[in-house]
């Protein structure tokens, strides 16, 4: 049977289950990636589980999110992470070295391998012919310990690319086009696999842009072939030996098919406050802007900065526009400096920041209230920029640069200049000086973990009770993102290694009283929340499950869940339920009390059962999609309890 690339990658890593869409499969993980904002928890989990040493082929810890140091917290976390990587045998990418996804691509990505990362944009490395997936920290900790990842077998969505991009249209517009067609739920349960003649015009970094924002479609992963473009990229990085060819077999088919004719695309923009809110830029041209921001893993390439530099060269950005340049890796920044592009940007009025995620996650560069910010970043969920009343648009570097010059959203095709064609450096800089190699085991085992005063261990969690009466503390609508469940931003992120403290910010964007009401519910046996479709989309941050759980969340009842958040809820013992009849969503209100009886039995006996709404004479049919393995996790109150129990019995992890 001819196979597509996704099937090849899955088959060669399958350790359990059948390759039937929707069924649970276990996959061997070759590489892992953690970043600091999620990595501190991962390292604490490794410690809690008593893991000796990473069992993967390569595991790397990047420090790219929490890089503004206004007090001791972030700096202490960096030292904790450095000590943990030395202890457990991981690579350590120091602050300033760059964003995890492009740096991983440059230094460690290998075609044919699997990569699991505690960051939803881990899928970016699918550009290298890898099966790269985002996951919660606990799943990544287990993968580091040598355990498989369990996912539902995805459908494979083949996207045929034909034609060639017109001038002023670039890779970002390709993924925005897919978001325009299918919105933020379009990729759920699917791996997106690109193929076709249009590919030959897209460099490995262009493909990174597209693969990265597969996360915004909710996809399990994005896969590109490993072809001559990938070989060229690896050769430039001094790693040609890591190249293997990986393409779909002739005659391979896909579960679903789509075609994009690149020649027909135009510059696109996602309006506030969803990456799926995409329109042609011409529709919003003339809207005044406060900020134009270039960088992030959604436009990390040399080309992305160089094209902006060429557009603004010899000109000055409009008065009042903050033109923020956030380089994505040190080695690329070096080349942009050498080739004069940074000088062009600075002379035009740019503000240059250090290599890292920065404003993409609200770590600096927050816009003024209610003013329009144009960004090449992947997400514009409400409040994510760090400003609560924000208004963020997502676009290509071409649009961002053109708009910076004009002070208003501008279709770059209207600029009075030819489209700058960018020549990539022939011998790009390769710089490994801030990427520390794993220590040999003999040395590593004596390393002590350094824990600053802000680092708190994860509190114990109880097993799933059999009888519960749970007040609904929040009733929410569709597409609630993990940014709304637990904000990012410079105020909140420094508490990522301190669960009791970070819990104070849970759901604050939606309801500031949640924390106090949650704390009260803990003594009364907990609470539930209700949501609509695509609940928990976006970031993989497991804190969005952990913090509500710490505040007594026992049941999340929604129309449907986003993949990673659903898994995180299970990992920490929060029962994720969906309405069997969606109309029942309208029957219940915030403040109602859900009655769950004989729950442990019901969860084990089948996927559907009924719960009552106290005093209302309503019963609601609900369903859980847990596998047998996950039912066990749920009954124990989460993965940590299960793993600890097994290790105490001298058994293997899972
Ligand atoms: C994001 O883009 O939302 C983040 C910040 O990178 C997150 C990770 C985090 O919240 O730490 C993600 O994508 O998973």
């Amino acid at each position: 049977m001819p196979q597509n690339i996704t099937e090849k990658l899955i088959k060669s890593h399958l350790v359990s289950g059948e390759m039937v869409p929707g069924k649970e499969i276990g996959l061997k993980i070759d590489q892992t990636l953690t970043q600091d904002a999620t990595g501190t928890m991962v390292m604490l989990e490794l410690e809690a589980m008593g893991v000796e040493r990473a069992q993967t082929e390569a595991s790397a810890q990047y420090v790219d999110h929490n890089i503004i140091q206004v007090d001791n917290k972030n700096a202490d976390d960096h030292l904790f992470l450095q000590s943990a990587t030395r202890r457990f045998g991981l690579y350590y990418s120091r602050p300033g070295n760059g964003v995890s996804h492009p740096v991983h691509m440059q230094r460690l990505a290998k075609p044919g391998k699997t990569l699991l990362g505690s960051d939803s944009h881990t899928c970016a490395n699918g550009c290298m012919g890898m099966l790269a997936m985002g996951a919660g920290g606990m799943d990544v900790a287990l993968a580091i310990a040598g355990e498989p990842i369990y996912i539902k077998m995805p459908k494979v969505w083949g996207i045929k690319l034909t034609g060639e991009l017109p001038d002023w249209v670039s890779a970002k517009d390709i993924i925005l086009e897919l978001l325009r067609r299918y919105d933020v739920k379009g990729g759920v349960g699917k791996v997106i696999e690109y193929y076709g003649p249009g590919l030959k015009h897209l460099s490995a970094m262009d493909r990174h842009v597209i693969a990265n924002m597969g996360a915004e479609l909710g996809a399990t992963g994005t896969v590109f072939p490993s072809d001559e473009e990938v070989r060229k990229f690896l050769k430039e990085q001094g790693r040609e030996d890591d190249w293997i060819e990986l393409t779909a077999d002739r005659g391979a088919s896909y579960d679903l098919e789509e075609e994009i004719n690149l020649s027909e695309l135009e510059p696109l923009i996602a309006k506030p406050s969803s990456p799926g809110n995409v329109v042609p830029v011409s529709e919003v041209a003339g809207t005044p802007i406060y900020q134009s921001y270039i960088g992030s893993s959604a436009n990390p390439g040399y080309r992305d900065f160089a094209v902006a530099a060429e557009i603004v060269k010899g000109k000055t950005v409009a008065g009042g526009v903050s033109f923020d340049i956030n380089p994505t890796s040190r080695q690329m920044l070096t080349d942009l400096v050498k080739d004069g592009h940074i000088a062009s940007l600075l002379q035009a009025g740019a503000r240059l920041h250090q290599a890292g995620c920065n404003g993409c996650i609200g770590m600096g560069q927050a816009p003024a209230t209610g003013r329009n910010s144009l960004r090449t970043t992947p997400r514009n969920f409400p409040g994510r920029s760090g400003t609560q009343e924000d208004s963020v648009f997502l676009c290509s570097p071409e649009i961002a640069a053109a708009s910076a010059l004009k002070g208003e959203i501008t279709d770059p095709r209207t600029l009075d200049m030819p489209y700058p064609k960018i020549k990539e450096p022939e011998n790009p800089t390769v710089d490994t000086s801030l990427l520390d190699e794993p220590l040999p085991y003999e040395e590593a085992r004596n390393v002590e973990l350094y824990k600053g005063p802000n680092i708190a261990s994860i509190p114990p969690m109880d097993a799933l009770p059999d009888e519960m009466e749970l007040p609904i503390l929040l009733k929410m609508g569709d597409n609630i993102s993990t940014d709304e469940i637990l904000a990012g931003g410079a105020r909140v992120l420094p508490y990522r290694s301190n669960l009791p403290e970070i819990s104070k910010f849970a759901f604050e964007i939606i309801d500031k009283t949640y924390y106090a009401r949650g704390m009260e519910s803990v003594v009364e046996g907990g609470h539930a929340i209700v949501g609509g479709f695509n609940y928990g989309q976006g970031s993989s941050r497991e804190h969005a499950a952990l913090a509500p759980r710490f505040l007594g969340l026992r049941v999340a009842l929604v129309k449907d869940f986003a993949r990673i958040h659903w898994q995180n809820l299970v990992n920490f013992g929060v029962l994720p339920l969906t309405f069997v009849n969606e109309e029942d969503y309208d029957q219940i209100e915030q403040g109602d009390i859900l009655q769950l009886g004989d729950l442990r039995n019901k969860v084990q006996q089948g996927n559907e059962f009924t719960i009552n709404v106290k005093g209302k004479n309503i019963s609601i049919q609900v369903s859980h999609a847990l596998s047998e393995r996950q039912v066990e996790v749920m009954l124990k109150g989460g993965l940590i309890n299960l793993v600890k129990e097994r290790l105490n019995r001298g058994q293997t992890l899972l």
Side-chain angles (χ1 to χ4, degrees), residues 19 89 134 177 193 291 437 458 487 607:
M19 289 171 60
E177 170 64 11
E193 182 169 321
Q291 181 177 51
E437 300 258 337
I458 304 170
N607 288 88

Side-chain angles (χ1 to χ4, degrees), residues 131-207:
L131 183 63
M133 295 172 292
M138 189 67 201
D139 286 318
V140 178
L142 286 167
I144 293 174
E147 291 297 311
I149 176 74
Y150 295 95
I151 58 166
K152 298 229 188 278
M153 175 69 196
K155 288 190 173 160
V156 188
W157 190 14
I159 313 259
K160 184 174 179 184
L161 300 179
T162 57
E164 197 174 341
L165 288 172
D167 286 354
W168 300 105
V169 181
S170 58
K172 186 64 156 283
D173 298 301
I174 302 178
I175 189 67
L176 287 177
E177 170 64 11
L178 216 48
L179 278 154
R180 190 185 68 77
R181 292 187 196 177
Y182 290 96
D183 209 345
V184 289
K185 268 185 71 180
V188 173
K190 300 168 193 140
V191 167
I192 310 174
E193 182 169 321
Y194 291 88
Y195 69 101
L199 273 182
K200 61 176 179 292
H201 309 295
L202 298 174
S203 70
M205 237 351 146
D206 289 336
R207 298 173 188 184

Side-chain angles (χ1 to χ4, degrees), residues 35 37-38 65 119-121 361 379 384 483 496 539-541:
Q35 39 89 339
T38 53
H65 281 67
D119 188 291
S120 64
H121 292 112
I361 175 62
R379 293 189 171 140
R384 177 178 163 96
D483 275 295
R496 284 287 181 92
S539 152
S540 65
R541 60 191 73 154

